[in-house]
mmCIF file of all heavy atoms in Angstrom:
data_model
loop_
_atom_site.group_PDB
_atom_site.id
_atom_site.type_symbol
_atom_site.label_atom_id
_atom_site.label_comp_id
_atom_site.label_asym_id
_atom_site.label_seq_id
_atom_site.Cartn_x
_atom_site.Cartn_y
_atom_site.Cartn_z
ATOM 1 N N ARG J 1 22.503 26.820 3.966
ATOM 2 C CA ARG J 1 23.460 26.245 4.911
ATOM 3 C C ARG J 1 23.804 27.227 6.030
ATOM 4 O O ARG J 1 24.348 26.837 7.041
ATOM 5 C CB ARG J 1 24.734 25.833 4.186
ATOM 6 C CG ARG J 1 24.492 24.729 3.162
ATOM 7 C CD ARG J 1 25.789 24.304 2.509
ATOM 8 N NE ARG J 1 25.547 23.285 1.495
ATOM 9 C CZ ARG J 1 26.501 22.746 0.740
ATOM 10 N NH1 ARG J 1 27.758 23.138 0.897
ATOM 11 N NH2 ARG J 1 26.207 21.840 -0.154
ATOM 12 N N GLU J 2 23.544 28.524 5.809
ATOM 13 C CA GLU J 2 23.847 29.511 6.826
ATOM 14 C C GLU J 2 22.812 29.491 7.941
ATOM 15 O O GLU J 2 23.081 29.896 9.070
ATOM 16 C CB GLU J 2 23.895 30.917 6.205
ATOM 17 C CG GLU J 2 25.106 31.165 5.319
ATOM 18 C CD GLU J 2 24.981 30.429 3.981
ATOM 19 O OE1 GLU J 2 23.824 30.190 3.543
ATOM 20 O OE2 GLU J 2 26.017 30.078 3.402
ATOM 21 N N ARG J 3 21.622 29.033 7.633
ATOM 22 C CA ARG J 3 20.547 29.016 8.622
ATOM 23 C C ARG J 3 20.034 27.579 8.747
ATOM 24 O O ARG J 3 19.079 27.192 8.071
ATOM 25 C CB ARG J 3 19.425 29.960 8.206
ATOM 26 C CG ARG J 3 19.890 31.414 8.054
ATOM 27 C CD ARG J 3 18.763 32.275 7.534
ATOM 28 N NE ARG J 3 17.626 32.251 8.440
ATOM 29 C CZ ARG J 3 16.385 32.608 8.099
ATOM 30 N NH1 ARG J 3 16.136 32.994 6.852
ATOM 31 N NH2 ARG J 3 15.414 32.572 8.990
ATOM 32 N N PRO J 4 20.664 26.781 9.606
ATOM 33 C CA PRO J 4 20.306 25.369 9.679
ATOM 34 C C PRO J 4 18.988 25.087 10.393
ATOM 35 O O PRO J 4 18.389 24.038 10.189
ATOM 36 C CB PRO J 4 21.471 24.746 10.462
ATOM 37 C CG PRO J 4 21.983 25.878 11.303
ATOM 38 C CD PRO J 4 21.799 27.115 10.486
ATOM 39 N N TRP J 5 18.527 26.022 11.265
ATOM 40 C CA TRP J 5 17.346 25.710 12.054
ATOM 41 C C TRP J 5 16.067 25.548 11.246
ATOM 42 O O TRP J 5 15.194 24.758 11.630
ATOM 43 C CB TRP J 5 17.153 26.757 13.155
ATOM 44 C CG TRP J 5 18.098 26.503 14.283
ATOM 45 C CD1 TRP J 5 19.251 27.181 14.561
ATOM 46 C CD2 TRP J 5 17.992 25.468 15.253
ATOM 47 N NE1 TRP J 5 19.885 26.629 15.644
ATOM 48 C CE2 TRP J 5 19.130 25.576 16.103
ATOM 49 C CE3 TRP J 5 17.068 24.453 15.497
ATOM 50 C CZ2 TRP J 5 19.352 24.715 17.158
ATOM 51 C CZ3 TRP J 5 17.283 23.606 16.564
ATOM 52 C CH2 TRP J 5 18.405 23.738 17.381
ATOM 53 N N PRO J 6 15.891 26.248 10.122
ATOM 54 C CA PRO J 6 14.693 25.970 9.313
ATOM 55 C C PRO J 6 14.588 24.506 8.891
ATOM 56 O O PRO J 6 13.483 23.962 8.821
ATOM 57 C CB PRO J 6 14.862 26.897 8.095
ATOM 58 C CG PRO J 6 15.647 28.046 8.625
ATOM 59 C CD PRO J 6 16.600 27.455 9.611
ATOM 60 N N ARG J 7 15.724 23.884 8.645
ATOM 61 C CA ARG J 7 15.683 22.471 8.285
ATOM 62 C C ARG J 7 15.184 21.619 9.458
ATOM 63 O O ARG J 7 14.402 20.686 9.261
ATOM 64 C CB ARG J 7 17.071 21.996 7.851
ATOM 65 C CG ARG J 7 17.127 20.497 7.567
ATOM 66 C CD ARG J 7 18.404 20.102 6.882
ATOM 67 N NE ARG J 7 18.426 18.648 6.641
ATOM 68 C CZ ARG J 7 19.280 18.061 5.817
ATOM 69 N NH1 ARG J 7 20.162 18.785 5.153
ATOM 70 N NH2 ARG J 7 19.246 16.763 5.664
ATOM 71 N N THR J 8 15.631 21.953 10.664
ATOM 72 C CA THR J 8 15.182 21.206 11.835
ATOM 73 C C THR J 8 13.681 21.359 12.031
ATOM 74 O O THR J 8 12.971 20.380 12.308
ATOM 75 C CB THR J 8 15.927 21.698 13.087
ATOM 76 O OG1 THR J 8 17.330 21.500 12.896
ATOM 77 C CG2 THR J 8 15.474 20.938 14.319
ATOM 78 N N LEU J 9 13.196 22.582 11.888
ATOM 79 C CA LEU J 9 11.758 22.828 12.053
ATOM 80 C C LEU J 9 10.958 22.139 10.965
ATOM 81 O O LEU J 9 9.873 21.584 11.232
ATOM 82 C CB LEU J 9 11.482 24.331 12.062
ATOM 83 C CG LEU J 9 12.099 25.116 13.225
ATOM 84 C CD1 LEU J 9 11.855 26.617 13.058
ATOM 85 C CD2 LEU J 9 11.527 24.631 14.553
ATOM 86 N N THR J 10 11.478 22.161 9.743
ATOM 87 C CA THR J 10 10.792 21.476 8.640
ATOM 88 C C THR J 10 10.776 19.979 8.882
ATOM 89 O O THR J 10 9.762 19.312 8.655
ATOM 90 C CB THR J 10 11.491 21.787 7.304
ATOM 91 O OG1 THR J 10 11.522 23.201 7.103
ATOM 92 C CG2 THR J 10 10.754 21.131 6.149
ATOM 93 N N SER J 11 11.885 19.428 9.357
ATOM 94 C CA SER J 11 11.942 17.998 9.685
ATOM 95 C C SER J 11 10.900 17.643 10.741
ATOM 96 O O SER J 11 10.212 16.626 10.648
ATOM 97 C CB SER J 11 13.334 17.616 10.182
ATOM 98 O OG SER J 11 14.299 17.780 9.176
ATOM 99 N N ALA J 12 10.789 18.508 11.763
ATOM 100 C CA ALA J 12 9.822 18.251 12.833
ATOM 101 C C ALA J 12 8.398 18.260 12.293
ATOM 102 O O ALA J 12 7.564 17.423 12.693
ATOM 103 C CB ALA J 12 9.984 19.287 13.935
ATOM 104 N N ALA J 13 8.108 19.205 11.388
ATOM 105 C CA ALA J 13 6.755 19.277 10.817
ATOM 106 C C ALA J 13 6.453 18.041 9.977
ATOM 107 O O ALA J 13 5.356 17.459 10.076
ATOM 108 C CB ALA J 13 6.620 20.545 9.981
ATOM 109 N N LEU J 14 7.410 17.634 9.151
ATOM 110 C CA LEU J 14 7.206 16.444 8.322
ATOM 111 C C LEU J 14 7.088 15.194 9.190
ATOM 112 O O LEU J 14 6.283 14.301 8.925
ATOM 113 C CB LEU J 14 8.363 16.297 7.333
ATOM 114 C CG LEU J 14 8.452 17.364 6.237
ATOM 115 C CD1 LEU J 14 9.727 17.168 5.407
ATOM 116 C CD2 LEU J 14 7.226 17.322 5.326
ATOM 117 N N LEU J 15 7.910 15.133 10.246
ATOM 118 C CA LEU J 15 7.838 14.006 11.168
ATOM 119 C C LEU J 15 6.457 13.915 11.807
ATOM 120 O O LEU J 15 5.889 12.824 11.932
ATOM 121 C CB LEU J 15 8.906 14.162 12.259
ATOM 122 C CG LEU J 15 8.852 13.174 13.427
ATOM 123 C CD1 LEU J 15 9.040 11.741 12.949
ATOM 124 C CD2 LEU J 15 9.919 13.536 14.467
ATOM 125 N N ALA J 16 5.908 15.060 12.197
ATOM 126 C CA ALA J 16 4.583 15.067 12.820
ATOM 127 C C ALA J 16 3.526 14.525 11.862
ATOM 128 O O ALA J 16 2.631 13.771 12.266
ATOM 129 C CB ALA J 16 4.224 16.484 13.258
ATOM 130 N N ILE J 17 3.630 14.871 10.593
ATOM 131 C CA ILE J 17 2.663 14.393 9.596
ATOM 132 C C ILE J 17 2.789 12.879 9.421
ATOM 133 O O ILE J 17 1.795 12.151 9.411
ATOM 134 C CB ILE J 17 2.884 15.119 8.257
ATOM 135 C CG1 ILE J 17 2.542 16.606 8.397
ATOM 136 C CG2 ILE J 17 2.055 14.474 7.149
ATOM 137 C CD1 ILE J 17 2.933 17.442 7.190
ATOM 138 N N VAL J 18 4.022 12.413 9.283
ATOM 139 C CA VAL J 18 4.251 10.984 9.043
ATOM 140 C C VAL J 18 3.837 10.146 10.249
ATOM 141 O O VAL J 18 3.270 9.052 10.097
ATOM 142 C CB VAL J 18 5.741 10.744 8.706
ATOM 143 C CG1 VAL J 18 6.061 9.251 8.682
ATOM 144 C CG2 VAL J 18 6.080 11.381 7.354
ATOM 145 N N ALA J 19 4.089 10.663 11.453
ATOM 146 C CA ALA J 19 3.869 9.866 12.666
ATOM 147 C C ALA J 19 2.480 10.019 13.258
ATOM 148 O O ALA J 19 2.106 9.242 14.148
ATOM 149 C CB ALA J 19 4.907 10.252 13.721
ATOM 150 N N ALA J 20 1.691 10.989 12.800
ATOM 151 C CA ALA J 20 0.438 11.355 13.478
ATOM 152 C C ALA J 20 -0.497 10.173 13.678
ATOM 153 O O ALA J 20 -1.032 9.963 14.781
ATOM 154 C CB ALA J 20 -0.260 12.469 12.698
ATOM 155 N N ASP J 21 -0.723 9.385 12.645
ATOM 156 C CA ASP J 21 -1.680 8.278 12.753
ATOM 157 C C ASP J 21 -1.199 7.239 13.760
ATOM 158 O O ASP J 21 -1.978 6.751 14.591
ATOM 159 C CB ASP J 21 -1.892 7.629 11.375
ATOM 160 C CG ASP J 21 -2.929 6.525 11.432
ATOM 161 O OD1 ASP J 21 -4.006 6.742 12.000
ATOM 162 O OD2 ASP J 21 -2.652 5.430 10.903
ATOM 163 N N SER J 22 0.084 6.895 13.712
ATOM 164 C CA SER J 22 0.623 5.930 14.661
ATOM 165 C C SER J 22 0.536 6.446 16.095
ATOM 166 O O SER J 22 0.192 5.694 17.017
ATOM 167 C CB SER J 22 2.082 5.597 14.321
ATOM 168 O OG SER J 22 2.173 4.421 13.534
ATOM 169 N N VAL J 23 0.842 7.718 16.300
ATOM 170 C CA VAL J 23 0.774 8.293 17.642
ATOM 171 C C VAL J 23 -0.651 8.214 18.178
ATOM 172 O O VAL J 23 -0.889 7.778 19.316
ATOM 173 C CB VAL J 23 1.257 9.755 17.644
ATOM 174 C CG1 VAL J 23 0.975 10.420 18.986
ATOM 175 C CG2 VAL J 23 2.749 9.825 17.338
ATOM 176 N N TYR J 24 -1.604 8.621 17.356
ATOM 177 C CA TYR J 24 -3.008 8.638 17.789
ATOM 178 C C TYR J 24 -3.481 7.236 18.156
ATOM 179 O O TYR J 24 -4.066 7.021 19.227
ATOM 180 C CB TYR J 24 -3.876 9.222 16.675
ATOM 181 C CG TYR J 24 -5.353 9.114 16.978
ATOM 182 C CD1 TYR J 24 -5.958 9.984 17.883
ATOM 183 C CD2 TYR J 24 -6.136 8.142 16.374
ATOM 184 C CE1 TYR J 24 -7.309 9.881 18.180
ATOM 185 C CE2 TYR J 24 -7.484 8.026 16.658
ATOM 186 C CZ TYR J 24 -8.066 8.907 17.557
ATOM 187 O OH TYR J 24 -9.394 8.788 17.857
ATOM 188 N N ARG J 25 -3.212 6.261 17.283
ATOM 189 C CA ARG J 25 -3.719 4.913 17.545
ATOM 190 C C ARG J 25 -2.941 4.218 18.660
ATOM 191 O O ARG J 25 -3.495 3.399 19.392
ATOM 192 C CB ARG J 25 -3.723 4.087 16.263
ATOM 193 C CG ARG J 25 -4.856 4.510 15.324
ATOM 194 C CD ARG J 25 -5.044 3.608 14.127
ATOM 195 N NE ARG J 25 -3.913 3.663 13.236
ATOM 196 C CZ ARG J 25 -3.180 2.625 12.878
ATOM 197 N NH1 ARG J 25 -3.446 1.426 13.376
ATOM 198 N NH2 ARG J 25 -2.175 2.764 12.039
ATOM 199 N N SER J 26 -1.662 4.515 18.800
ATOM 200 C CA SER J 26 -0.899 3.935 19.913
ATOM 201 C C SER J 26 -1.437 4.412 21.249
ATOM 202 O O SER J 26 -1.594 3.624 22.199
ATOM 203 C CB SER J 26 0.588 4.301 19.785
ATOM 204 O OG SER J 26 1.171 3.669 18.666
ATOM 205 N N MET J 27 -1.754 5.694 21.345
ATOM 206 C CA MET J 27 -2.299 6.221 22.588
ATOM 207 C C MET J 27 -3.712 5.688 22.840
ATOM 208 O O MET J 27 -4.074 5.363 23.976
ATOM 209 C CB MET J 27 -2.287 7.745 22.556
ATOM 210 C CG MET J 27 -0.891 8.340 22.549
ATOM 211 S SD MET J 27 -0.873 10.146 22.624
ATOM 212 C CE MET J 27 -1.523 10.419 24.265
ATOM 213 N N ALA J 28 -4.498 5.574 21.767
ATOM 214 C CA ALA J 28 -5.845 5.023 21.919
ATOM 215 C C ALA J 28 -5.784 3.560 22.354
ATOM 216 O O ALA J 28 -6.582 3.116 23.189
ATOM 217 C CB ALA J 28 -6.607 5.161 20.599
ATOM 218 N N LEU J 29 -4.843 2.822 21.806
ATOM 219 C CA LEU J 29 -4.644 1.433 22.211
ATOM 220 C C LEU J 29 -4.303 1.349 23.693
ATOM 221 O O LEU J 29 -4.892 0.551 24.438
ATOM 222 C CB LEU J 29 -3.520 0.812 21.386
ATOM 223 C CG LEU J 29 -2.994 -0.543 21.884
ATOM 224 C CD1 LEU J 29 -3.959 -1.655 21.502
ATOM 225 C CD2 LEU J 29 -1.594 -0.827 21.339
ATOM 226 N N ASP J 30 -3.363 2.164 24.146
ATOM 227 C CA ASP J 30 -2.945 2.120 25.539
ATOM 228 C C ASP J 30 -4.094 2.481 26.477
ATOM 229 O O ASP J 30 -4.258 1.871 27.543
ATOM 230 C CB ASP J 30 -1.762 3.069 25.765
ATOM 231 C CG ASP J 30 -0.464 2.511 25.199
ATOM 232 O OD1 ASP J 30 -0.419 1.314 24.900
ATOM 233 O OD2 ASP J 30 0.506 3.284 25.065
ATOM 234 N N ARG J 31 -4.870 3.480 26.104
ATOM 235 C CA ARG J 31 -6.021 3.845 26.936
ATOM 236 C C ARG J 31 -6.999 2.682 27.043
ATOM 237 O O ARG J 31 -7.528 2.396 28.133
ATOM 238 C CB ARG J 31 -6.727 5.073 26.356
ATOM 239 C CG ARG J 31 -6.030 6.390 26.619
ATOM 240 C CD ARG J 31 -6.946 7.572 26.354
ATOM 241 N NE ARG J 31 -7.348 7.633 24.961
ATOM 242 C CZ ARG J 31 -6.722 8.317 24.018
ATOM 243 N NH1 ARG J 31 -5.630 9.004 24.339
ATOM 244 N NH2 ARG J 31 -7.148 8.327 22.781
ATOM 245 N N LEU J 32 -7.239 1.995 25.929
ATOM 246 C CA LEU J 32 -8.174 0.874 25.941
ATOM 247 C C LEU J 32 -7.627 -0.280 26.780
ATOM 248 O O LEU J 32 -8.345 -0.874 27.590
ATOM 249 C CB LEU J 32 -8.448 0.410 24.513
ATOM 250 C CG LEU J 32 -9.520 -0.669 24.347
ATOM 251 C CD1 LEU J 32 -10.872 -0.165 24.821
ATOM 252 C CD2 LEU J 32 -9.602 -1.124 22.895
ATOM 253 N N LEU J 33 -6.349 -0.608 26.598
ATOM 254 C CA LEU J 33 -5.760 -1.728 27.337
ATOM 255 C C LEU J 33 -5.698 -1.469 28.833
ATOM 256 O O LEU J 33 -5.645 -2.421 29.622
ATOM 257 C CB LEU J 33 -4.350 -2.025 26.807
ATOM 258 C CG LEU J 33 -4.243 -2.586 25.394
ATOM 259 C CD1 LEU J 33 -2.787 -2.835 25.033
ATOM 260 C CD2 LEU J 33 -5.055 -3.863 25.229
ATOM 261 N N SER J 34 -5.710 -0.225 29.233
ATOM 262 C CA SER J 34 -5.649 0.094 30.662
ATOM 263 C C SER J 34 -7.004 -0.065 31.357
ATOM 264 O O SER J 34 -7.075 0.015 32.590
ATOM 265 C CB SER J 34 -5.126 1.523 30.865
ATOM 266 O OG SER J 34 -6.040 2.472 30.337
#
């Protein structure tokens, strides 16, 4: 609790893992639709 920033960084890393596939395919979709 004294060092809250490691939690933020860990959250960001986990978020990147969870969101990676959606981000990749969303961008690929947009490129194709354009």
Side-chain angles (χ1 to χ4, degrees):
R1 296 183 182 178
E2 289 74 27
R3 301 175 60 199
W5 282 103
R7 175 168 179 165
T8 300
L9 296 175
T10 303
S11 295
L14 292 175
L15 172 61
I17 293 171
V18 170
D21 183 48
S22 264
V23 171
Y24 173 77
R25 286 188 294 122
S26 292
M27 293 184 67
L29 168 77
D30 285 345
R31 283 195 297 268
L32 186 62
L33 292 181
S34 65

